C-alpha cells in the first residue's frame, strides 16, 4: 500500500491514554510524521498491523493483556519487516539488550528527551537502528566484559520470554497456551532458565525480577 501523504505512519501502543496523547501531540509538531492509529493493548496492536500498514510501531513493555515482550515477538512473526521502537518506563539496562535480540530497532526510556524520541523515529524509519548513548554503553560493556552481564541478559529470546512469564506468576500450562508450546517444552525452558540464573524456584525468579525492577 502506497503512503500518499509521504508522511511516516506511526502506530502508538500504550495502555495509558495520557501517554498516547502526549506522544501524539509531540509527533504532530513534525511535518514528516503522522500517528495513523493507536492501541491500548498488545492484542489490539496485533489486530491493527494485520489490517493496516505502518512505517514504525512505538511499543510499551508493561501492558495488561499481552506484554510488549510477547507483542514484539508476534509482530515479528506477522510482519517481519515492520520496524519497532520500544518506548518504555523501564531503563535501558533492564530490557534493551534482550529486546534488541528479539528484533526491535531501538529502545528508549519514556523520560528520554522529546528531540531524541523524534530522532529515533526518523532514524529507524530510514532503515537503521537507533542506539542511544545508554544502549551504546551497554553494548560496549557486553563486548568488553561479557561476564559482567546480568543473569537475565544471558538468556535466549525464548528463555527470556518464559522467564518473564514465570516471574509474573503464570503457570507452565498458561505459558504453554500463550506461546503455543507443550507443557513439557515449557518445563524444559524453565529448567534451563533456573540453571543459567543459578536459581531454584519460581519464587526465586519473581524475587529476582522485582529486585531488578523487571516487573512491578
Amino acid at each position: 500500500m502506497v503512503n500518499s501523504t509521504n508522511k511516516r505512519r506511526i502506530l502508538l501502543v500504550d495502555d495509558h491514554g495520557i501517554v498516547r496523547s502526549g506522544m501524539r501531540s509531540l509527533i504532530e509538531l513534525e511535518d514528516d510524521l503522522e500517528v495513523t492509529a493507536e492501541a491500548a493493548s498488545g492484542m489490539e496492536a496485533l489486530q491493527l498491523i494485520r489490517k493496516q500498514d505502518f512505517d514504525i510501531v512505538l511499543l510499551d513493555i508493561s501492558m495488561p493483556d499481552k506484554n510488549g515482550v510477547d507483542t514484539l515477538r508476534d509482530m515479528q512473526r506477522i510482519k517481519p519487516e515492520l520496524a519497532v521502537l520500544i518506548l518504555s518506563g523501564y531503563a535501558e539496562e533492564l530490557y534493551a539488550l534482550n529486546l534488541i535480540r528479539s528484533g526491535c530497532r531501538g529502545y528508549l526510556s519514556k523520560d528520554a528527551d522529546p528531540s531524541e524520541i523524534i530522532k529515533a523515529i526518523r532514524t529507524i524509519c530510514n532503515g537503521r537502528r537507533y542506539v542511544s548513548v545508554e544502549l551504546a554503553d551497554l553494548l560496549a560493556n557486553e563486548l568488553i566484559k561479557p561476564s559482567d552481564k546480568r543473569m537475565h541478559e544471558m538468556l535466549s529470546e525464548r528463555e527470556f520470554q518464559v522467564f518473564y512469564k514465570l516471574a509474573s506468576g503464570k503457570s507452565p500450562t498458561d505459558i504453554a497456551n500463550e506461546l503455543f508450546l507443550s507443557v513439557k517444552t515449557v518445563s524444559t525452558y524453565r529448567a534451563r532458565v533456573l540453571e543459567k540464573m543459578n536459581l531454584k524456584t519460581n519464587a526465586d525468579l519473581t524475587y529476582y525480577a522485582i529486585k531488578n525492577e523487571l516487573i512491578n
Side-chain angles (χ1 to χ4, degrees):
M1 186 181 296
V2 178
N3 181 7
S4 59
T5 67
N6 292 322
K7 291 187 176 185
R8 301 295 192 175
R9 300 157 297 183
I10 299 170
L11 168 60
L12 295 180
V13 186
D14 196 293
D15 59 323
H16 294 99
I18 191 169
V19 174
R20 298 197 308 275
S21 178
M23 286 303 305
R24 178 182 282 274
S25 297
L26 174 65
I27 290 166
E28 285 178 347
L29 297 174
E30 308 300 323
D31 293 336
D32 59 330
L33 305 175
E34 179 182 18
V35 176
T36 54
E38 296 181 18
S41 70
M43 293 300 294
E44 187 178 348
L46 294 174
Q47 291 172 1
L48 282 168
I49 68 167
R50 286 187 174 99
K51 298 175 183 177
Q52 301 181 41
D53 289 324
F54 301 99
D55 294 296
I56 187 170
V57 178
L58 271 57
L59 178 64
D60 188 19
I61 290 179
S62 180
M63 293 183 291
D65 71 329
K66 192 177 188 70
N67 64 63
V69 177
D70 290 345
T71 302
L72 172 63
R73 184 180 179 86
D74 287 346
M75 284 181 175
Q76 295 292 301
R77 178 176 52 80
I78 296 167
K79 287 191 175 179
E81 74 285 356
L82 182 61
V84 177
L85 169 62
I86 300 293
L87 196 61
S88 172
Y90 296 105
E92 280 91 339
E93 64 265 21
L94 301 178
Y95 280 99
L97 292 178
N98 292 95
L99 293 179
I100 289 290
R101 293 192 193 104
S102 296
C104 74
R105 305 281 182 86
Y107 187 110
L108 281 176
S109 173
K110 286 180 182 176
D111 61 8
D113 190 85
S115 63
E116 185 174 17
I117 294 173
I118 295 300
K119 180 182 178 182
I121 293 171
R122 289 197 176 110
T123 299
I124 292 171
C125 284
N126 287 331
R128 304 192 302 275
R129 294 186 185 275
Y130 183 78
V131 180
S132 66
V133 173
E134 292 81 5
L135 180 54
D137 285 343
L138 289 174
L139 292 170
N141 287 335
E142 184 179 19
L143 291 173
I144 297 169
K145 298 178 180 178
S147 61
D148 288 350
K149 289 197 295 184
R150 299 190 193 192
M151 290 190 289
H152 70 274
E153 293 172 353
M154 295 186 288
L155 302 176
S156 70
E157 177 187 345
R158 180 65 93 180
E159 288 167 351
F160 180 75
Q161 202 174 18
V162 171
F163 154 73
Y164 188 86
K165 290 179 179 295
L166 288 169
S168 299
K170 295 193 175 182
S171 70
T173 300
D174 290 336
I175 297 171
N177 290 334
E178 291 179 10
L179 300 182
F180 304 102
L181 301 171
S182 69
V183 174
K184 182 178 179 180
T185 299
V186 171
S187 296
T188 299
Y189 277 117
R190 174 183 177 274
R192 287 185 199 165
V193 167
L194 290 172
E195 182 178 2
K196 281 188 175 183
M197 298 182 70
N198 196 27
L199 299 174
K200 297 185 181 300
T201 67
N202 289 3
D204 292 336
L205 293 175
T206 300
Y207 176 76
Y208 174 92
I210 293 172
K211 182 179 178 181
N212 286 274
E213 299 180 329
L214 295 170
I215 59 175
N216 296 320

